[in-house]
Amino acid sequence: MTTFTKTTEANSNYNDLEKMSLTQLLSSINQEDKTVPLAVEKALPQIQNLTQQIINKLQKGGRLFYIGAGTSGRLGIVDASECPPTFGVSSDLVVGIIAGGDTAIRNAVEFAEDDTNQAWRDLQTHNITQNDVVVGIAASGTTPYVIGGLQKCNENNITTGCITCNQGSPLAKTAAFPIEVVVGPEFVTGSSRMKAGTAQKLVLNMLTTATMIQLGRVKGNKMVDMQLSNVKLIDRGTRMIMEQIPVEYDLAKALLLEHKSVRKAVETFQK
């Protein structure tokens, strides 16, 4: 029987942090952070497996759900909330759900992560079906809210994945397509918002960015379906149009504002 060890809870490789100079503190944190992309690299085969499942489901009209508690839940919400402005998709295509509800985005909700049934109830409010994918996010790999949610999804033939930072965790054993990014002890012992949180963010970036590119939401290397929600993005979109069709800035901007999309502006002009 394999013993499960939480390396995210192991003692820091550094001691007497309060005695360090500011330079030492920042340098040491940076040294630890440098190890995170290498840990993500080792998990690339797992990341690809889950991403392919997400692509398959979304191509058939399904959705992607993230469930998590605390920092992990917040990271899922951040990634989900960036998909509509970046890729021009519906706000219900990628959905982040956090234990304790929206209140928990800013403030900790006591014991919210300990309810094994709440995640499934939360998912049901979105009319979850077998067309969807649910990814549980938990650095520890032991969060009851997340594990309970994936267990119910498995029982209902809903595709499950996870992102965790401990090897052989209960969560990884529950998910059909687990991602395990083992980052080791945190600089401040147990502070998984640090390396573990960074690892989770990197993986989330990969899941949705690769998926949206495969779904045709990027052309060349440009966000041609981005929402025009501020002056910076309107300027970026205008210059993207200028790169694709032979028009001056003012006409490109006028086309963008008329069609509300770089893709539509270019396609309409070229007809």
Side-chain angles (χ1 to χ4, degrees), residues 191-255:
S191 183
S192 56
R193 72 183 184 86
M194 300 185 76
K195 288 193 299 182
T198 300
Q200 290 171 326
K201 180 67 170 70
L202 292 177
V203 173
L204 290 166
N205 288 347
M206 297 168 85
L207 293 181
T208 45
T209 303
T211 293
M212 294 302 166
I213 292 171
Q214 292 274 294
L215 294 178
R217 288 290 175 172
V218 170
K219 186 175 181 180
N221 56 21
K222 302 297 194 299
M223 299 180 288
V224 292
D225 293 320
M226 66 182 181
Q227 293 179 357
L228 308 174
S229 55
N230 58 47
V231 172
K232 177 191 73 175
L233 295 180
I234 292 173
D235 178 69
R236 180 190 297 166
T238 299
R239 296 182 188 282
M240 286 163 61
I241 291 171
M242 291 172 66
E243 289 180 10
Q244 296 185 56
I245 56 178
V247 295
E248 297 298 320
Y249 186 92
D250 288 345
L251 178 53
K253 183 175 180 180
L255 288 168

Side-chain angles (χ1 to χ4, degrees), residues 14-248:
Y14 303 79
N15 208 348
D16 298 322
L17 304 187
E18 72 279 10
K19 297 178 182 178
M20 287 185 176
S21 68
L22 180 56
T23 299
Q24 289 173 316
L25 286 170
L26 298 178
S27 177
S28 299
I29 292 171
N30 180 242
Q31 283 299 118
E32 289 298 299
D33 288 344
K34 288 177 182 178
T35 68
V36 177
L38 298 176
V40 172
E41 182 179 18
K42 292 177 181 177
L44 280 175
Q46 291 182 322
I47 296 169
Q48 180 169 335
N49 287 341
L50 178 55
T51 306
Q52 188 63 63
Q53 293 300 314
I54 295 168
I55 293 167
N56 293 346
K57 290 292 185 178
L58 268 58
Q59 284 177 331
K60 297 175 182 176
R63 299 164 293 172
L64 169 61
F65 288 88
Y66 296 131
I67 56 173
T71 298
S72 297
R74 295 182 190 104
L75 288 169
I77 288 171
V78 167
D79 190 67
S81 67
E82 291 292 345
C83 287
T86 305
F87 302 109
V89 297
S90 168
S91 60
D92 62 1
L93 184 67
V94 183
V95 180
I97 299 173
I98 186 170
D102 286 355
T103 299
I105 296 172
R106 292 182 179 273
N107 301 291
V109 176
E110 289 188 3
F111 305 111
E113 69 175 56
D114 298 321
D115 189 332
T116 58
N117 298 310
Q118 188 59 47
W120 180 243
R121 289 193 288 264
D122 292 342
L123 287 165
Q124 286 182 301
T125 65
H126 294 273
N127 300 311
I128 187 102
T129 74
Q130 293 179 16
N131 295 326
D132 303 319
V133 182
V134 179
V135 177
I137 312 171
S140 67
T142 59
T143 308
Y145 175 87
V146 180
I147 294 172
L150 292 198
Q151 286 173 337
K152 289 296 291 184
C153 287
N154 288 337
E155 291 170 14
N156 287 273
N157 297 314
I158 296 167
T159 300
T160 57
C162 76
I163 306 170
T164 182
C165 295
N166 285 312
Q167 191 80 40
S169 69
L171 178 60
K173 291 178 180 178
T174 301
F177 298 92
I179 295 172
E180 298 166 296
V181 183
V182 183
V183 295
E186 296 287 3
F187 180 70
V188 175
T189 298
S191 183
S192 56
R193 72 183 184 86
M194 300 185 76
K195 288 193 299 182
T198 300
Q200 290 171 326
K201 180 67 170 70
L202 292 177
V203 173
L204 290 166
N205 288 347
M206 297 168 85
L207 293 181
T208 45
T209 303
T211 293
M212 294 302 166
I213 292 171
Q214 292 274 294
L215 294 178
R217 288 290 175 172
V218 170
K219 186 175 181 180
N221 56 21
K222 302 297 194 299
M223 299 180 288
V224 292
D225 293 320
M226 66 182 181
Q227 293 179 357
L228 308 174
S229 55
N230 58 47
V231 172
K232 177 191 73 175
L233 295 180
I234 292 173
D235 178 69
R236 180 190 297 166
T238 299
R239 296 182 188 282
M240 286 163 61
I241 291 171
M242 291 172 66
E243 289 180 10
Q244 296 185 56
I245 56 178
V247 295
E248 297 298 320

